[in-house]
């Protein structure tokens, strides 16, 4: 395809119907049969959404009916996902896909027979495998659901519901499965892996099968990763009957949190928020250099509130933004790449992040508020840098923005208006915050009704405002001679869409409700808006005669949103269940510690090497795994290894930093060729080459790839133990540093970079990000003392600082290890008292210093210390000059580059003027 419009479609790439099918094939299932079958699929998806709303709401506890525990809810959740996976996703019929689909049941049958050890007959295993093979081999039509697919769908739902139906009986025989447990578990695993192949492709199915094979064949593995092996009884009990495998934490998070957030986004989209966000972005930024591309970045960031799917984000916003980017001068590949880079980043943008963010809550053991707090700064900086990259591309090509339909106000007037707007927003925020603090004690149990009444009054006011300023259609911007809409009226046209987001953020950040309950209240308010906005708008605009039709349209919008939310969840539900197989295998076999040894050998114990290995593994796995599954696999395997090796290298890496590191590289896989699905979706819209689009998008996303390495070594970027003033300072410095990094990688700052200028900009950016790296070379941060001087070192350590101890001992498996522990020191009078307050008692034996005792639950125990460990080195903090002094030479170097480039840019302008 070329940059020109194709006669077949009238657009730059695929037709809208083809784009819809592309998104459906990836996210919601490409099979949408009509008639009774289509109605059944619709009703099943609707029932799933209604069940999830019921489970998340407080209603079951209020009426004391329909209360499900976590295990029962996970069972029902997976039953819906498996049923819809076979009903909505036809199986790909390529020879390779068919071979994989038929090969996995055979492999599993052999593994089951190998591990059976008489617990169940070989005939039963062969029968299960034979029936599975027949059902898979018979075919998968695209236009209807075949009878054997109904059989697979019902069998999958039945095996998932097995834990729900027999919950009491299973709880009485934990660890001792009976024949029906074996049958349900074996059928369930085979059907789950086939559903994975249909909905997510073969990669995750293959990885899960390999881990199951490893579980059974442990004694036959290479010695470094060998284990005793597990019987069929142990595997079925662990993977299907307990909550350690398929029904583990990942599926629990999908059930409790993720579904409600996906549903909230789907309802918000059906209400019209998607078009509103795009229009607002264009009205505010479309007039700037390369304006449509900058608007694409901003609109994709806002659309990230609606969809956690990179592909859906690309198609939703890209259908409008990519043609407009090409209109102002971007090539097909660059236009697609901008859309890809901005859409993929939607998953890291708080407050509503991708599904993996909710898994962090469980895996790291911190509240969702803290996850959002730690992720906010890197995500914001990444988006600012992408806007700057677009600006640099526009500068290189001499692009202009789109024409405005109004005369801009003077800059001073605009700044005053912006400042006034910020003041009004801050005043409203303080008023709401303190008003809520007054309403609750004043009204007691009735406070909820008062809050809802006030919220409804605000909604009515904003809806009335929107009827006076209708949202323009995006298609209008693509017409010849089209002009940008006025920012003020455009913003006013959909302010009521912001209210559910405010409810969500308030519940998460202020009331500190659970993510599931927060999403429930936001979704409930969104349902209220969907049902009322059309009829109320009709009344407000004098169209009372249309009231019945508008009520019906609102009800249809609600049902469409509930169905779309459930269909968007099929892949995520299947992915979290299948990833549970991998997590279960890791916990059952202890492969994590074995892998740590492998990785340590490969990396030579170097932390940077292990981080690079982790990044590469995430990118490779991400070529076939969705972000959520990629995050689960890599975090389960490598997150503990990074923490351990960091500690051994003297760097204490917070667990949240490691998990965000994995998360960032998980989403990068949607960009990276040759399998970056988001890049292929963007190329389908733009008509460009998908591989070239992916390569350009990868270079645009280098800023996202650099940030994880930076916040591993500088946790200030994650706002860990940082006050407000320091946080603002870090934000400004880190933003400047990332803009310089972007300028260096794009080869353009004020003028085109020379090679040494790009290198200088990279050096300045690194110094701004991590000034301590250079200061540690100038002045040692710690004074090393011999082990016998531990008491003196504790006495000389400033109160509130940490004493670093390198100790030798054994790990949980009895293997020798060395690591660094940071022991907080208090303000006690003597060194002995300070060590005792930290929980340490030391003793000297044979000229060596040992930890004679470490108090249980003490700061020393929390730091990883234990009794009878040998103290190898003692390092106390030194009086080091401020690391920020390194900014002085960095800024001087930056000033030199700026001066040279400004002079060169001025000479270029003068030359062009003389030539003209």
């Amino acid at each position: 395809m070329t940059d020109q419009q194709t006669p077949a479609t009238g657009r730059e790439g695929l037709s809208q119907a083809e784009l819809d099918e592309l998104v459906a094939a990836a996210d919601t299932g490409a099979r949408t049969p009509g008639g009774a079958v289509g109605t059944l699929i619709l009703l099943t998806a609707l029932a799933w959404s209604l069940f999830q709303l019921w489970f998340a709401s407080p209603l079951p506890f209020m009426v004391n009916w329909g209360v499900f525990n976590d295990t029962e809810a996970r069972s029902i959740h997976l039953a819906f996902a498996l049923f819809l996976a076979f009903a909505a996703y036809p199986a790909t019929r390529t020879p390779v896909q068919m071979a994989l689909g038929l090969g996995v049941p055979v492999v599993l049958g052999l593994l089951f027979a190998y591990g059976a050890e008489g617990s169940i007959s070989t005939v039963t295993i062969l029968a299960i495998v034979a029936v599975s093979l027949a059902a898979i081999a018979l075919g998968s039509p695209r236009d209807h659901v075949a009878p054997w697919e109904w059989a697979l769908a019902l069998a999958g739902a039945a095996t998932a519901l097995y834990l729900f139906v027999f919950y009491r009986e299973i709880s009485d025989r934990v660890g001792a499965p009976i024949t029906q447990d074996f049958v349900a578990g074996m059928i369930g695993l085979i059907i789950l892996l086939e559903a994975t192949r249909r909905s997510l492709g073969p990669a995750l199915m293959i990885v899960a099968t390999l881990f199951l094979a490893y579980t059974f064949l442990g004694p036959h593995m290479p010695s470094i990763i060998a284990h005793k092996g597990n019987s069929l009884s142990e595997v079925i009990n662990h993977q299907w009957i307990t909550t350690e495998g398929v029904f583990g934490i990942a599926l629990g998070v999908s059930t409790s949190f993720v579904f409600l957030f996906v549903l909230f986004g789907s309802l918000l989209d059906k209400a019209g928020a998607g078009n509103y966000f795009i229009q607002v972005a264009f009205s505010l930024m479309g007039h700037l250099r390369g304006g449509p591309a900058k608007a694409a970045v901003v609109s994709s960031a806002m659309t990230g509130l609606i969809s956690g799917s990179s592909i859906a984000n690309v198609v939703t916003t890209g259908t409008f933004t990519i043609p407009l980017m090409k209109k102002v001068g971007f090539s097909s590949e660059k236009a697609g790449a901008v859309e890809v880079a901005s859409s993929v980043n939607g998953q890291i943008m708080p407050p509503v992040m991708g599904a993996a963010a909710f898994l962090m809550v469980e895996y790291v053991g911190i509240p969702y508020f803290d996850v959002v707090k730690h992720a906010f700064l890197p995500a914001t900086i990444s988006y600012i840098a992408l806007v700057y990259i677009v600006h640099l591309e526009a500068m290189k090509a001499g692009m202009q923005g789109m024409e405005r339909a109004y005369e801009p106000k003077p800059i001073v007037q605009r700044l005053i208006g912006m400042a006034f707007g910020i003041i009004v927003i801050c005043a409203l925020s303080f008023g709401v915050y303190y008003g809520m603090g007054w309403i609750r004690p004043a009204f007691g149990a009735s406070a909820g009704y008062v809050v809802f009444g006030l919220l409804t009054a605000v909604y009515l006011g904003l809806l009335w405002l929107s009827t006076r300023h209708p949202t323009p259609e995006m298609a209008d911007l693509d017409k010849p001679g089209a002009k940008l809409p006025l920012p003020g009226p455009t913003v006013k046209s959909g302010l009521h869409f912001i209210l559910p987001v405010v409810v969500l953020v308030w519940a998460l950040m202020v009331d500190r409700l659970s993510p599931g309950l927060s999403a429930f209240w936001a979704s409930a308010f969104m349902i209220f808006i969907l049902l009322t906005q059309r009829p109320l708008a009709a009344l407000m605009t004098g169209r009372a005669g249309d009231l019945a039709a508008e009520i019906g349209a609102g009800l249809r919008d609600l049902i469409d949103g509930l169905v779309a939310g459930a269909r968007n969840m099929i892949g995520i539900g299947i992915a979290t269940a299948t990833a549970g197989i991998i997590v279960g295998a890791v916990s059952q076999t202890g492969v994590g510690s074995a892998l740590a040894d492998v990785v340590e050998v490969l990396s030579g114990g170097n932390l940077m090497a292990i981080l690079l290995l982790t990044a590469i593994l995430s990118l490779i796995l991400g070529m076939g795994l969705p972000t959520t599954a990629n995050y689960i696999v890599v975090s389960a395997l490598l997150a503990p290894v990074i923490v351990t090796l960091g500690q051994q290298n003297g760097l204490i890496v917070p667990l949240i930093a490691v998990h965000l590191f994995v998360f960032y590289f998980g989403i990068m896989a949607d960009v990276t060729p040759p399998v970056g699905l988001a890049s292929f979706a963007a190329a389908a819209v733009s008509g460009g080459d998908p591989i070239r689009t992916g390569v350009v998008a990868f270079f645009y996303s280098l800023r996202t790839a650099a940030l994880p390495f930076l916040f591993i070594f500088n946790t200030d970027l994650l706002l860990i133990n940082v006050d407000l003033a320091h946080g603002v300072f870090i934000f400004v410095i880190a933003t400047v540093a990332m803009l310089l990094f972007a300028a260096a990688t794009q080869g353009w700052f004020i003028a085109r970079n020379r090679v040494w200028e790009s290198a200088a900009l990279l050096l300045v950016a690194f110094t701004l990000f991590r000034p301590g790296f250079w200061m540690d070379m100038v002045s040692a941060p710690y004074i090393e003392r011999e082990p016998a001087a531990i008491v003196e070192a504790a006495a000389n350590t400033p109160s509130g600082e940490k004493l670093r101890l390198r100790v030798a001992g054994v790990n949980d498996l009895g293997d020798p290890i060395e690591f660094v522990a940071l022991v907080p020191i208090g303000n006690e009078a003597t060194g002995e008292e300070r060590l005792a307050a930290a929980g340490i008692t030391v003793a000297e034996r044979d000229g060596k210093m040992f930890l004679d005792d470490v108090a249980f639950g003490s700061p020393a125990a929390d730091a990883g210390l234990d009794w009878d460990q040998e103290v190898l080195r003692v390092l106390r903090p030194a009086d080091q000059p401020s690391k920020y002094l390194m900014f002085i030479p960095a800024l001087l170097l930056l000033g030199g580059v700026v001066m040279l480039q400004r002079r060169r840019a001025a000479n270029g302008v003068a030359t062009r003027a003389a030539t003209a």
Side-chain angles (χ1 to χ4, degrees):
M1 294 183 187
T2 67
D3 286 356
Q4 304 301 315
Q5 292 182 336
T6 60
T9 64
R11 302 189 68 83
E12 286 75 358
L14 300 183
S15 69
Q16 188 60 50
E18 291 171 319
L19 291 173
D20 292 341
E21 185 175 349
L22 176 68
V23 176
D27 287 341
T28 62
R31 186 157 51 196
T32 52
V37 173
T39 302
L40 177 60
I41 294 174
L42 183 147
L43 290 176
T44 304
L46 181 62
W48 191 9
S49 288
L50 293 175
F51 164 74
Q52 294 290 163
L53 285 168
W54 176 264
F55 175 65
S57 77
L59 288 175
F61 301 97
M62 294 169 64
V63 300
N64 199 28
W65 180 84
V67 179
F68 302 100
N69 64 36
D70 287 343
T71 303
E72 292 170 330
R74 294 174 192 182
S75 174
I76 297 171
H77 181 85
L78 182 58
F80 274 116
L82 284 172
F83 184 88
L84 288 171
F86 286 99
Y89 285 90
T92 305
R93 309 307 298 170
T94 63
V96 174
Q97 285 270 25
M98 278 303 300
L100 290 171
L102 295 172
V104 166
V106 173
V107 171
L108 289 182
L110 293 172
L111 292 172
F112 293 156
Y114 172 82
E117 298 176 354
S119 56
I120 190 170
S121 69
T122 304
V123 174
T124 304
I125 296 173
L126 290 175
I128 291 172
V129 172
V131 173
S132 302
L133 286 173
I136 295 170
L138 282 171
S140 180
R142 291 182 63 86
D143 57 345
H144 68 278
V145 184
W148 49 89
E149 292 186 289
W150 285 122
L152 287 172
L154 291 171
T159 55
L161 288 171
Y162 184 75
L163 261 70
F164 172 71
V165 175
F166 296 101
Y167 181 79
R168 299 299 174 193
E169 294 88 337
I170 290 171
S171 62
D172 292 334
R173 59 170 188 269
V174 174
I178 60 176
T179 300
Q180 69 183 39
D181 295 344
F182 285 115
V183 172
M186 289 188 294
I187 294 174
L189 287 171
I190 291 173
I191 289 180
L192 175 61
L193 290 175
E194 170 60 13
T196 304
R197 180 178 75 91
R198 286 170 176 252
S199 57
L200 301 165
L204 182 57
M205 176 193 72
I206 293 171
V207 173
T209 304
L210 290 174
F211 272 87
L212 280 174
Y214 175 73
T215 306
F216 283 105
L217 304 176
H220 307 288
M221 294 290 112
S223 59
I224 194 168
I225 59 170
H227 64 97
K228 69 178 182 63
N230 298 98
S231 67
L232 179 63
S233 174
E234 292 169 332
V235 171
I236 294 298
N237 183 70
H238 193 80
Q239 292 285 6
W240 201 266
I241 303 302
T242 69
T243 55
E244 297 295 324
V246 171
F247 296 93
I249 289 175
L251 187 64
V253 170
S254 177
T255 306
S256 301
F257 302 158
V258 178
F259 193 105
L260 267 296
F261 279 86
V262 171
L263 180 61
F264 171 72
S266 178
L267 295 172
L268 197 58
D269 185 39
K270 291 298 178 184
N275 179 57
Y276 170 69
F277 289 153
I278 296 171
Q279 286 284 6
V280 169
F282 269 89
S283 68
L284 295 175
M285 306 196 73
H287 65 283
L288 302 173
R289 279 181 179 269
K294 293 174 181 174
V297 175
V298 175
S299 61
S300 293
M302 292 190 288
T303 306
L305 295 174
I306 296 176
S307 170
S309 164
S310 302
I311 298 168
N313 285 356
V314 166
V315 174
T316 300
T317 58
T319 304
F320 303 110
T321 60
I322 288 174
L324 292 171
M325 281 189 262
K326 295 173 68 175
K327 194 173 181 180
V328 297
F330 282 87
S331 67
S332 295
E333 286 75 20
K334 286 187 177 181
V338 169
E339 186 57 51
V340 169
S342 52
S343 293
V344 166
N345 269 27
Q347 295 185 68
I348 63 173
M349 191 66 191
V352 183
M353 301 165 67
F358 302 104
L359 288 163
M360 284 184 212
V361 173
E362 300 296 324
Y363 288 162
V364 183
I366 60 176
Y368 186 69
F369 173 83
D370 289 343
V371 173
V372 168
K373 181 182 77 172
H374 297 319
F376 176 74
L377 214 59
T380 305
I381 292 169
S382 184
Y383 264 112
I384 292 172
L386 183 56
V387 172
Y388 183 60
I389 287 172
V390 168
H391 178 72
L392 293 176
E393 289 285 7
M395 292 275 290
K396 291 181 197 177
M399 297 178 195
Q400 298 300 318
M402 296 181 67
E403 188 178 353
R404 290 182 280 200
Y406 58 95
E407 287 296 324
K409 297 177 182 177
I411 183 66
V412 175
Q413 190 174 345
R414 277 184 282 164
L415 289 175
I416 292 173
M418 188 182 300
F420 179 75
I422 293 172
I423 292 170
V424 169
I425 291 172
C426 291
L428 285 173
S429 301
F430 279 111
V432 170
Y433 182 81
Y434 289 106
M436 289 287 288
W438 170 79
I439 288 172
R440 284 178 176 161
F443 291 94
S446 303
Y449 299 104
V450 175
V451 171
F452 178 71
L454 292 173
L455 199 59
T456 302
V458 175
Y459 162 60
L460 292 173
L462 294 179
L463 184 62
W464 177 85
L465 189 65
S466 73
T467 61
R468 300 300 181 268
H469 305 281
T471 307
E473 291 298 324
M474 270 307 303
D476 295 341
L477 292 178
D478 204 10
K479 295 176 181 176
K483 296 183 179 180
L484 291 170
L486 290 165
T490 305
V491 171
K492 295 172 186 175
S493 67
L495 283 174
H496 60 289
F497 294 134
I498 307 298
L499 282 179
V501 180
V502 171
V503 170
L504 177 65
V505 173
W506 183 277
L508 280 172
M509 305 298 174
V510 181
D511 285 347
R512 303 290 183 95
L513 300 181
S514 69
L517 192 56
S518 301
F520 167 77
W521 288 119
S523 298
F525 191 60
M526 198 62 244
I527 290 172
F528 172 70
I529 289 177
L530 272 169
L531 290 173
T532 60
Q533 69 170 351
R534 286 178 178 269
L536 286 175
L539 291 174
M540 290 174 179
T541 53
R543 295 182 292 112
D546 298 336
L547 191 59
E550 295 295 353
I551 291 174
L555 186 59
R556 285 192 296 274
D557 286 343
L558 173 59
I559 292 173
D560 289 346
L562 292 172
V563 171
R567 293 194 65 149
N568 284 331
M569 270 301 300
I570 298 172
I572 297 175
I574 297 295
T576 51
T578 308
I581 295 176
I582 299 164
V583 175
V586 171
S587 64
Q588 189 170 28
T589 62
V591 68
S593 58
L595 188 68
D597 294 336
V598 174
V599 171
E600 188 169 8
V601 170
L602 291 175
S603 65
N606 183 277
L607 183 61
M608 182 57 75
I610 175 72
L611 291 174
L612 287 171
L613 284 171
T614 304
I616 292 169
L617 178 62
S618 295
L619 291 174
I620 292 172
L621 287 176
M623 290 180 180
L625 271 61
T627 300
T628 305
N630 188 355
Y631 165 76
I632 294 170
V633 173
V634 181
S635 64
L637 293 176
L638 292 181
V641 180
I642 296 174
V643 173
T644 301
L645 285 183
Q647 196 173 27
Q648 291 175 8
N649 281 269
L651 180 67
I652 308 302
V653 184
L655 193 56
I656 181 63
V658 178
H659 280 261
L660 283 172
F661 181 93
V662 173
F663 184 29
Y664 267 59
F665 278 98
I667 69 165
M668 279 289 290
D670 277 346
V671 176
T672 312
V675 195
L677 296 179
S679 298
F680 277 81
V685 178
S686 71
D689 179 79
I691 300 298
R692 288 177 60 193
T693 299
V695 170
V696 177
F698 177 77
F699 278 102
Y700 288 167
S701 300
L702 282 177
R703 74 208 190 283
T704 306
L707 277 168
F709 287 98
L710 293 166
F711 60 59
I712 285 286
F713 293 99
N714 183 5
T715 56
D716 286 354
L717 283 171
L718 300 180
L719 300 180
I720 295 176
N721 299 324
V722 170
D723 57 33
L724 178 61
H726 191 199
V728 172
F729 174 75
I730 290 295
F731 172 71
V732 173
I733 295 299
T735 301
V736 172
M738 185 51 68
L739 297 183
L740 294 176
F741 177 84
T745 54
Q746 293 303 306
W748 190 285
F749 186 29
I750 298 169
R752 187 173 301 279
N753 294 347
R754 291 178 175 144
V755 174
W756 73 267
E757 289 174 335
S758 291
L761 290 173
L762 287 174
L763 180 62
V764 173
F766 177 77
T767 304
L768 294 178
F769 270 123
R770 200 176 170 216
F773 178 84
W774 305 113
M775 184 55 73
D776 290 350
M777 293 182 178
V778 175
S779 174
Y782 300 101
I783 298 174
E784 183 174 346
R785 300 299 307 274
E786 63 280 4
I790 184 172
V791 175
E792 179 189 347
N796 292 329
T797 299
S799 175
E801 296 288 340
K802 293 180 179 178
L803 183 68
R804 298 170 72 93
L805 302 179
R806 186 164 192 88
V807 299
V810 294
N811 61 15
D812 296 337
L813 301 176
D815 298 324
I817 57 168
E818 289 186 13
F819 67 93
V820 173
L822 273 63
V823 181
I825 297 297
N827 57 0
E828 289 75 16
T830 65
E832 291 89 345
E833 292 173 351
R834 291 184 170 192
L835 290 177
I840 295 175
T841 303
V842 294
E844 188 173 354
R845 298 197 294 268
D846 299 326
K848 297 180 179 179
M849 187 64 68
F850 290 86
L851 301 179
D852 195 44
D853 186 32
V854 176
F856 178 77
S858 64
D862 293 340
L865 296 177
D866 204 351
W867 66 279
D868 209 32
Q869 291 173 337
E870 181 186 355
V871 180
L872 302 177
R873 284 193 298 165
V874 178
L875 298 122
R876 68 173 181 82
D879 292 329
Q880 188 185 43
S882 172
K883 62 183 179 181
Y884 298 118
L885 290 175
M886 287 293 133
F887 287 175
I888 296 174
L891 293 175
L892 289 174
L893 178 59
L894 176 61
V897 173
V898 169
M899 184 175 65
L900 291 173
Q901 289 211 357
R902 285 177 67 89
R903 184 182 304 163
R904 206 158 62 244
N907 290 339
V909 171
T911 302
R912 286 194 296 272
T915 304

